[in-house]
Amino acid sequence: MPSSDLSPKGRSVVKRQSTGLVPLTSDEAILANSFDNNTLSDWSYYYTHGVHLAGTNQTMAQWTADRWSENGFQGRLDEYQTYLNYPVSHALSLTYPNGSVFEASLEEAVLAEDETSSYPDRIPTFNGYSFTGNATAEYVYVGRGQVADFEALVGLGVPLEGKIALAKYGGPFRGLKVKNAALYNMTGCILFTDPGDDGNITEANGYAAYPDGPARNPTSVQRGSVQFLSTYPGDPTTPGYPSKQDSPRADKSPVVPSIPSLPISYVEAIPLLRALDGFGTPGSQVNRTNWVGALNVTYSTGPAPGAVLSMSNVMRDAITPIWDAVGVINGTNQDEVLVIGNHRDAWIVGGAADPNSGSAIMVEMSKAFGKLLATGWQPRRTIVLCSWDAEEYGLVGSTEWVEEYINWLSNSTVAYLNIDVGVSGKTPSLSATPELGAIATNLMRKIVWPTSPNETLYDAWSAESDGEVGILGSGSDYTSFLHNGISSLDVGSDGGPDDPIYHYHSNYDSFHWMSTYGDPGYQYHAAMGQYLSLLAYHLSSDEMIPYDLTAYTTALRSYYEELRATINSTTETVDTSELAAAITQFETSANEAMALMNQAVTTNDAALKTVVNHKLRDFQRGFTSAGGLPDREFYKHVVNAPGIDTGYAPTTFPGITEAVEASNFTRAAEWVGRTSLGIRRAADILKT
């Protein structure tokens, strides 16, 4: 469930250095040389040729655990009884003022070249956790469906109440688009993908559409969850506790929609948009970012008198089992644990990029560690592999697992590494808590990137990112770990503006697409797997946990300057001196801890090494100790969280920043105190 629509705000900067390929150690070479392009293709084929919608394929979960067991891990399944819903029927039609009717098919084309697009059990286009209901009304184009878009429409005098919203994908998480439509008293929401977000690889630029070429197939549809991710993820009926057979069930309405929604292709959005041409305000005059796309329409707001949409969405609710596959290699230090995860479920039969490029990499990585185990090696820290179910509905499998094992995780976990879309293109991406930036980027220099034998993964990443490690928001399985104070990292390789179009959550995210366009030869799969393996090796085996605490201080100071700029853009004042003092206290403690690490290594003092490692393991817990954010208690990290109106993209010092943006300066002052408390508690853990 990742999104490339992440704000660069608050990224931590790693000093960019031009270096060649750094040689591998003997253990690193065993890991890297274990990756085989052919077996990666085999694993990809297995995962992408059977339905594995959340809660539907226990066999695939067991197969994953069995592969890990074959390679020296102790494999098992952890089962949860979760609320999910599944599609029964849907319909959408447009009645024109003259009485003629356009009936949308709500289907993706069957392609002879792409076998899984024709499977009889292929999954319909739908939104997970969508509301069962009907709506018939005139409709309004609402841009990307952010609150600011709706406010712009209100300012233009466009009537919203009782209308159906037509929203373009991009920007906020799709569930928030539906939530916002309901907040403005609209009765339904239609979501579509616009080729204007496809970079340079479009039919308008002369590229053939898939399967004949790399451009978007016009019938592709982005399925996906419409849970209100920025309120809380996981099973909507068990907030804060694991979903078991006898678990009490809470009201789900705070995090799921109250109006129906349907996703459609751009080819079926065109008639809807075109019927609005000449009515309301033309898109060019709305003055909202990304309001106008690349279709041959004016993107007018509407409504068009007499142009009426009729929509129907029928879902089947279920409390149903899901299965997380888990594999364990015990380390010599039982109180230090590394967790590595990827989700397994997909909205379609395929899922070759999302998520099963990561799934294939995880199986191949277990094989690599199996070869290292065969040499007599044992990790210093326990390694836990996790294959999550039901991530797509709302990070359900990982959230329930963290809720079940939270005491053990809080007492032992050093870090969580996440790989979701391992490969959907040739542009590596990295987001992490700042202390992980140095080890994560240094190891990139040891991996050859397939674009050129002379290019490293670091070269490719730094050319795209300018050496900035992204800040974590939400949208994948690191979320529950991060907001329980566990250092976290998310890595993958995404499509750039000149890469073949990746059909996100579409039938065309398939083995055929991956083998033909996405990663022919599976070389990028191998490179990403080699990199993740080296990260796992060092975090599990280095004598000292390889964290750079000075990078966290640098990040906190950067976030502070951004916060001051946000405050200064208003007419009010907020006293942030307590926050500045807390950051200074953190800096002092971080420097002391780094000095103590050097002392422990220099003196070879085993007891002191343990003391320092436990400080490094635990300091993040302080950031989550001040209570949850207002109206969304799940999100406890005072330094960063997904934006309340983004769902994906991060907001730094969210308790303060969002209060300022909402002109709630009393709450902003309160959260200066609570944020400062969290930072001081992290500093206290590091203090020597």
Side-chain angles (χ1 to χ4, degrees), residues 73-88:
F73 290 76
Q74 300 168 29
R76 69 170 197 263
L77 297 188
D78 287 351
E79 181 176 306
Y80 301 94
Q81 296 289 331
T82 61
Y83 165 68
L84 301 172
N85 66 4
Y86 298 101
V88 175

Side-chain angles (χ1 to χ4, degrees), residues 645-657:
D645 193 36
T646 67
Y648 282 136
T651 297
T652 52
F653 296 142
I656 312 169
T657 299

Side-chain angles (χ1 to χ4, degrees), residues 461-490:
W461 169 78
S462 61
E464 179 66 24
S465 68
D466 291 327
E468 294 183 344
V469 178
I471 186 167
L472 294 168
S474 187
S476 197
D477 291 300
Y478 57 79
T479 304
S480 288
F481 292 89
L482 175 64
H483 287 276
N484 281 287
I486 294 169
S487 299
S488 299
L489 177 148
D490 185 50

Side-chain angles (χ1 to χ4, degrees), residues 282-301:
S284 60
Q285 298 176 25
V286 174
N287 195 29
R288 280 291 299 147
T289 303
N290 295 307
W291 187 276
V292 175
L295 299 173
N296 186 25
V297 296
T298 63
Y299 293 90
S300 294
T301 63

Side-chain angles (χ1 to χ4, degrees), residues 484-532:
N484 281 287
I486 294 169
S487 299
S488 299
L489 177 148
D490 185 50
V491 68
S493 186
D494 306 326
D498 297 312
D499 285 335
I501 297 305
Y502 155 51
H503 297 80
Y504 178 51
H505 291 180
S506 158
N507 280 343
Y508 312 134
D509 179 11
S510 61
F511 183 80
H512 179 269
W513 177 84
M514 182 64 74
S515 300
T516 307
Y517 293 104
D519 186 16
Y522 288 78
Q523 297 178 12
Y524 291 89
H525 281 67
M528 290 306 303
Q530 291 167 336
Y531 173 63
L532 186 63

